[in-house]
């Protein structure tokens, strides 16, 4: 048996490629096996449009990614046409708020300051492996101690406030502070996007902190649109790793890991080919990794229980509209359509939507995030036509009645909602493509079709991510690691799980 | 006797009409949702039947689970710590199973009916644990406790009784083997297994045959000192045999409220059932391997031979310096051995490296007063009693 590779990575999402890049820079021979025809996973223009930029800590460890990008602002649409545009730039935002929400101006910046202190504290833990629990090692205790210490170092008052807020729901916090319902709706939107929480669900605040930690610790800053879309990021990542000698096999779905004596020995592809390596890193989601790739027969009962209960049902669907012309939005210029437009006018609007999704139903008036990036970037046109990307929050996995029967209804709900802001939208549509969480599960190989490969909630974060006893990118089987969004610190285009996992692997090989 | 079953809080076993008639003391024992006889007449007589004749005991309340499917054998081998990869049809194995921390969930017996069908018989309700453990194996797992009427027939004349009953050639059945018999037109599974440490068998049949089976057995043993046995006598014989009992000698992980009360196999004398060399993974293997490698086992379960004749129920065990080093989990003045024996859980190295200078403090009740006895004791093999006939093939026939 000849071993050609030091490491095999299952899946070719961005975390896999970043992990491969870090490993290849340390002269490890890496093979990536991706099930789909192309790399990228959820990071594709079809699904992911606005992203944070990679942090310096990630950038410094990988080869240069040559893409252009521009910052985008967020515009909360109002049926009255009094849209609220926030950029993350203090001066601009202050001006805007003074006009539209004069009573909330000071409180807005106070809240942002407070939240950003907390998100920085959380963020400081994103770049190293979290401590393990259920293990009794000194370094784990030390890390836990440091986490505690950093939290304490915020100062007594901040600490008390942090402790108060960590389990809090975002609605309480906003309703205490703000008068303007559009502002409340917008901030709440970003606290619940991608999750299975409503604005009144305990813990919805931590989602927001998590998001801020990846977006320059700001509420609406740090959001970028890449020229050519996220596909351009993937292309650059791919070229870089290939230059480093990483081999990529696409259309190569991994069926299982080969395990001997509790040690990973390689992988077997769906077509029966076995490829050997003493280290395998899975970028697949935790449920797929454990229950499919590894197999129940290698796991303890308690572990299986935890992984089964890992919450990973996606709630975000996507609708792409190919347009014959740029639709007119009330009180918006067409170049504004390249920005992040949000339809989430109030907390109650979101909570009502959440109620539908709780029972796996569709809301007649969904929460939307949309843009037509091609108005600024012709690379993103489709056969010369503009494309509108619409993200539908709370369009649930396993919708009652089944997506095959519910798709048309959902699209209609989206368009009816859009018509309130862009009355002629229907007449501009040439083609439409709808992707439900079930489609994401099936076509992108992510069980549950979840944005983050699993909920970002207090019991599924840090040393508890994905589940207690399996943090630190390790699995119970030696040589098998994880590097996807299901690991610490979670999903989004950050590359942090991939980078951290590479470090953990390098410590051991 | 007419009893309204719908009014009973506890279930009656299929033998209830017979056991209740035989029970002269009206003394009952609550067992896994059933009521069974604690004492029929005199516990000592029932005990004596096991050691000198044959005792018959209603085993129906033992939980029984059926495990069926193509991966049944692979699952069983993953479920228990013992290597059962070579297990043959119609055999039985004594096993334990652990949780991920390598702590014992329960002990029991596995019956291999064929390579795709097994039964597990145990003391603790295991449906959820089995189902959750079987996640990913695609098996059919059913609780068949109520579908099987079970009796244990134990003692030196037990083989003869069963031969009279119709189990032809039973003497050739080896320990831990089982065989299907058709007797009086109904089928009975007889295994050479038991909880008494003596020659003995366990019988499973459909509940509808229960009373017939009971009657035929009593008839067949008429001249072979047969007698129904209650739970109290069982406790005596099992201590002599050194068998551990879940809930008494250790607490199942399913019942322990405090993690520190959970025990690893090495702590309850079950290390011999842990096969770390087993090729495949089994639940708890990683933890048990680490425990073995790091030598972190804290306790040991031992047999004690105690001075005097006062049973040391629940007694605390001390070292020379009067420091508390363990506790007695089960104790008995053994009528057969004429020794004061006990099963005890000790903090290592007591019971392993240090076997001398161990004392028990026995509080012996004497007419509303306690006599405090400070007795020396010796660490001995837990299997206090194991007659040769227990494992002889062919079995002794009278
Ligand atoms: C609808 C939606 C909208 C989103 N919007 C945004 C956004 O606006 N901004 C943002 O930052 N993030 C967004 N995200 C989240 C972000 O895209 C993901 O969190 C991130 O891309 C995850 O990257 P990954 O590399 O960890 O995993 P993935 O991208 O899921 O990659 C995993 C790869 O592994 C492959 N794979 C799985 N199993 C196997 C197997 N057995 N054999 C071979 N290959 C296998 C898959 O095919 C996939 O390519 C969104 C996600 C969704 C679903």
């Amino acid at each position: 048996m000849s071993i050609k590779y030091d490491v095999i990575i299952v899946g070719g999402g961005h975390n896999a490629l970043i992990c491969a890049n870090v490993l290849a820079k340390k002269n490890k021979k890496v093979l990536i096996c991706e099930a789909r025809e192309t790399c990228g996973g959820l990071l594709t223009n079809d699904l992911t449009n606005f992203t944070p930029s990679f942090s310096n800590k990630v950038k410094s460890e990988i080869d240069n990614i040559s893409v252009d990008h521009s910052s985008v602002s967020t515009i909360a649409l109002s049926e009255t046409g009094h849209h609220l545009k926030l950029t993350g730039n203090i001066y601009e935002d202050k001006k805007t708020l003074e006009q539209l929400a004069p009573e909330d101006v000071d409180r807005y910046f106070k809240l942002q300051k407070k939240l950003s202190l907390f998100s920085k504290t959380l963020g400081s833990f994103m770049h190293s492996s979290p401590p393990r629990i259920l293990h009794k090692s000194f370094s784990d205790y030390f890390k836990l101690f440091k986490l505690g210490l950093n939290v304490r170092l915020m100062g007594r008052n901040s600490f008390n406030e942090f402790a108060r807020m960590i389990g809090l729901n975002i609605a309480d916090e906003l309703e205490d502070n703000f008068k303007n319902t559009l502002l409340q709706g917008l901030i709440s939107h970003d606290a619940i996007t991608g999750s299975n929480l409503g604005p009144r669900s305990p813990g919805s605040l931590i989602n927001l902190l998590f998001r801020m930690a990846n977006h320059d610790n700001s509420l609406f800053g740090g959001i970028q649109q890449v020229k050519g879309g996220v596909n351009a990021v993937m292309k650059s990542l791919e070229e870089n790793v290939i230059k480093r000698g990483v081999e990529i096999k696409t259309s190569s779905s991994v069926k299982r890991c080969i395990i001997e004596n509790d040690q990973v020995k390689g992988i077997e592809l769906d077509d029966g080919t076995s490829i050997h390596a003493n280290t395998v890193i899975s970028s697949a989601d935790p449920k797929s990794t454990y229950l499919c790739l590894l197999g129940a027969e290698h796991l303890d009962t308690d572990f299986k229980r935890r992984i089964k209960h890992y919450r990973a049902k996606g709630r975000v669907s996507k609708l792409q509209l190919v347009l014959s012309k740029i639709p007119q939005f009330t009180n918006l210029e067409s170049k504004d359509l390249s920005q992040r437009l949000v339809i989430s006018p109030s907390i109650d609007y979101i909570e009502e939507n959440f109620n539908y999704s709780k029972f796996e139903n569709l809301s007649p008036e969904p929460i939307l995030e949309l843009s037509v990036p091609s108005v600024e970037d012709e690379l993103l046109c489709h056969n010369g036509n503009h494309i509108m990307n619409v993200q539908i929050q709370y369009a649930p996995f396993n919708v009652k009645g089944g997506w095959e029967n519910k798709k048309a209804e959902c699209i209609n709900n989206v368009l009816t909602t859009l018509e309130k802001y862009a009355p002629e939208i229907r007449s501009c549509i040439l083609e439409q493509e709808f992707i439900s969480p079930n489609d994401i599960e099936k076509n992108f190989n992510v069980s549950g079709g979840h944005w983050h490969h699993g909920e970002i909630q207090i019991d599924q974060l840090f040393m508890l991510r994905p589940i207690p006893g399996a943090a630190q990118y390790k699995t119970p089987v030696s040589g098998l690691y994880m590097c996807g969004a299901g690991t610490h610190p979670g999903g989004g285009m950050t590359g942090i799980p991939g980078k951290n996992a590479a470090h953990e692997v390098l410590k051991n090989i | 006797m007419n009893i309204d079953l719908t009014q009973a809080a506890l279930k009656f076993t299929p033998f209830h009409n017979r056991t209740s008639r035989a029970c002269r003391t009206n003394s009952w024992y609550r067992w896994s949702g059933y009521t069974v006889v604690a004492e029929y007449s005199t516990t000592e007589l029932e005990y004596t039947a096991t050691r000198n004749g044959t005792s018959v005991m209603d085993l129906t309340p033992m939980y029984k689970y059926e495990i069926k499917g193509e991966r049944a054998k692979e699952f069983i081998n993953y479920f228990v710590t013992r290597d059962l990869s070579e297990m043959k049809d119609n055999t039985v194995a004594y096993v334990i199973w652990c949780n991920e921390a390598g702590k014992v969930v329960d002990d029991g017996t596995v019956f291999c009916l064929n390579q795709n069908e097994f039964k597990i018989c145990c003391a603790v309700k295991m449906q959820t644990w089995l189902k959750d453990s079987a996640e990913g194996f695609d098996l059919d797992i059913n609780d068949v406790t109520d579908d099987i009427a079970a009796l244990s027939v134990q003692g030196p004349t037990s083989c003869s009784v069963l031969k009279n009953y119709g189990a032809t050639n039973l003497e050739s059945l080896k320990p831990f083997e089982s065989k299907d018999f058709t007797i009086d037109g109904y089928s009975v599974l007889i295994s050479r297994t038991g909880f008494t440490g003596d020659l003995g068998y366990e019988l499973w049949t459909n509940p509808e045959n229960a009373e017939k089976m009971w009657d035929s057995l009593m008839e067949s043993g008429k001249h072979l000192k047969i007698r129904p046995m209650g739970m109290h006598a069982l406790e005596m014989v099992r201590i002599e045999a050194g068998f551990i009992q879940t809930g008494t000698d250790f607490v199942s992980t399913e019942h322990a409220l405090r993690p520190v009360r959970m025990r690893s196999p090495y702590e309850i004398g079950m290390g011999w059932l842990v096969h770390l060399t087993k090729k495949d993974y089994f639940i708890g293997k990683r933890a048990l391997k680490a425990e073995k490698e790091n030598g972190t086992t804290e306790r040991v379960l031992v047999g004690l031979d105690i001075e005097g004749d006062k049973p040391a129920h629940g007694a605390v065990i001390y070292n020379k310096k009067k420091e508390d080093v363990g506790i007695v989990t089960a104790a008995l003045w053994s009528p057969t051995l004429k020794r004061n024996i006990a099963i005890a859980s000790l903090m290592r190295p007591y019971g392993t490296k240090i076997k001398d200078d161990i004392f028990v403090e026995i509080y012996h009740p004497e007419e509303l007063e306690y006599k405090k006895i400070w007795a020396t004791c010796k660490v001995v093999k837990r299997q206090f009693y194991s007659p040769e006939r227990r494992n002889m093939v062919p079995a002794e026939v009278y």
Side-chain angles (χ1 to χ4, degrees), chain A residues 10-17 33-36 38-44 47-52 211 215 252-255 282-285 288 293 316-318 369 391 440 443-446 449-453 483-486 490-494 497:
Chain A
V10 182
H14 82 284
N15 278 313
L17 267 77
C33 295
E34 165 58 52
R36 309 183 77 229
T38 54
C39 283
L42 301 178
L43 209 65
T44 146
L47 294 176
T48 300
N49 305 112
F50 301 108
T51 63
R211 185 187 158 90
H215 290 88
S252 301
S253 170
V254 177
K255 188 159 117 203
S282 167
S283 75
D285 65 276
S288 310
L293 292 175
V316 181
S317 296
K318 207 77 198 197
E369 181 187 304
Q391 177 176 295
I440 297 176
N443 302 331
F444 293 85
N445 312 304
V446 176
H450 196 284
W451 179 304
H452 295 277
H453 289 192
C483 74
M493 193 188 91
T494 69

Side-chain angles (χ1 to χ4, degrees), chain B residues 11-234:
Chain B
K11 289 187 283 188
F12 293 155
T13 79
F15 300 103
H16 193 81
N17 276 332
R18 296 296 182 270
T19 54
S20 54
R21 202 170 297 163
C23 179
R24 296 283 158 219
T25 60
N26 199 23
S27 151
W28 297 90
Y29 183 90
R30 184 178 184 149
W31 185 10
S32 300
Y34 282 96
T35 182
V36 292
V37 174
E39 184 178 50
Y40 283 89
S41 55
T42 317
T43 292
E44 283 67 25
L45 275 180
E46 292 157 33
Y47 161 87
T48 309
T50 304
R51 295 290 177 235
N52 296 331
T54 289
S55 68
V56 177
M57 206 192 97
D58 186 355
L59 267 186
T60 308
M62 285 293 280
Y63 289 105
K64 295 168 224 77
Y65 300 93
E66 161 187 88
I67 293 140
K68 289 195 290 199
E70 254 170 54
R71 295 179 74 189
K73 183 168 187 182
E74 187 193 345
F75 169 68
I76 292 286
N77 204 32
Y78 152 85
F79 186 69
V80 306
T81 60
R82 189 172 181 173
D83 190 349
L84 297 183
S85 53
E86 302 293 324
M87 192 169 189
K88 305 259 178 334
D89 294 1
N90 304 314
T91 61
V92 184
Y94 176 58
V95 295
I96 53 159
W97 49 97
C98 292
N99 70 2
E100 78 175 330
K103 307 296 181 192
V104 181
V105 182
D106 199 5
D107 68 340
T109 42
V110 171
F111 289 69
C112 175
L113 307 177
N114 62 61
Q115 300 294 301
N116 296 331
E117 188 177 347
F118 291 78
K119 284 206 173 79
I120 286 188
C121 180
C122 56
V124 178
K125 200 171 184 69
M126 214 41 69
Q127 179 78 2
T128 316
W129 183 257
L130 269 168
K131 281 234 157 140
D132 287 357
S133 301
E135 176 76 30
F137 282 87
D138 198 19
L139 297 170
D140 222 1
I141 296 182
N142 300 300
D143 185 338
V144 291
T145 308
D146 293 347
D147 306 338
I148 297 174
L151 284 183
S152 102
V153 179
Q154 308 267 317
T157 64
S158 57
C159 184
S160 312
V161 171
L162 290 171
K163 278 171 73 76
N164 291 349
Y165 163 62
T168 326
N169 283 331
L170 184 67
E171 66 277 16
S172 63
L173 196 71
K174 296 184 190 133
F176 290 104
E177 281 184 348
S178 70
K179 197 172 167 191
D180 274 307
F181 289 88
T182 304
I183 291 167
D184 277 352
Y186 59 90
S187 67
V188 184
L189 180 85
I190 302 185
S191 58
R192 188 165 164 187
T193 50
F195 204 51
T196 63
D198 221 304
L199 171 65
Y201 302 87
E202 286 168 337
L203 279 60
W204 285 357
T205 192
N206 192 298
E208 67 189 24
N209 312 315
E211 295 182 4
K212 251 187 296 183
M213 180 162 104
W214 179 277
D215 295 340
S216 316
L217 281 171
M218 290 305 162
E219 184 58 30
S220 314
K222 217 163 45 183
H223 304 298
L224 291 162
K225 292 189 189 298
I226 199 166
R227 184 179 277 279
M229 176 172 88
M231 297 298 284
H232 291 337
L234 178 74

Side-chain angles (χ1 to χ4, degrees), chain A residues 263-315:
Chain A
Q263 154 75 45
V264 79
K265 289 290 172 199
I267 51 127
E268 188 189 320
L269 298 177
D270 274 357
D271 67 13
T273 325
S274 309
I275 309 172
H276 296 280
N278 289 327
T279 302
V280 172
I281 310 174
S282 167
S283 75
D285 65 276
K287 281 193 186 186
S288 310
T289 300
Y290 283 113
L291 299 176
C292 305
L293 292 175
L294 183 52
E297 64 275 23
H298 297 287
L299 298 172
D300 291 309
T301 312
D302 319 65
F303 194 96
K304 284 197 277 199
R305 282 179 172 167
R306 291 197 290 273
I307 205 73
K308 242 185 98 178
H309 296 151
Y310 176 70
R311 299 188 303 287
K313 281 192 191 151
R315 301 260 154 184

Side-chain angles (χ1 to χ4, degrees), chain A residues 6-23:
Chain A
D6 298 312
V7 176
I8 298 171
I9 302 182
V10 182
H14 82 284
N15 278 313
L17 267 77
I18 283 176
C19 184
N21 197 325
V22 177
L23 292 171

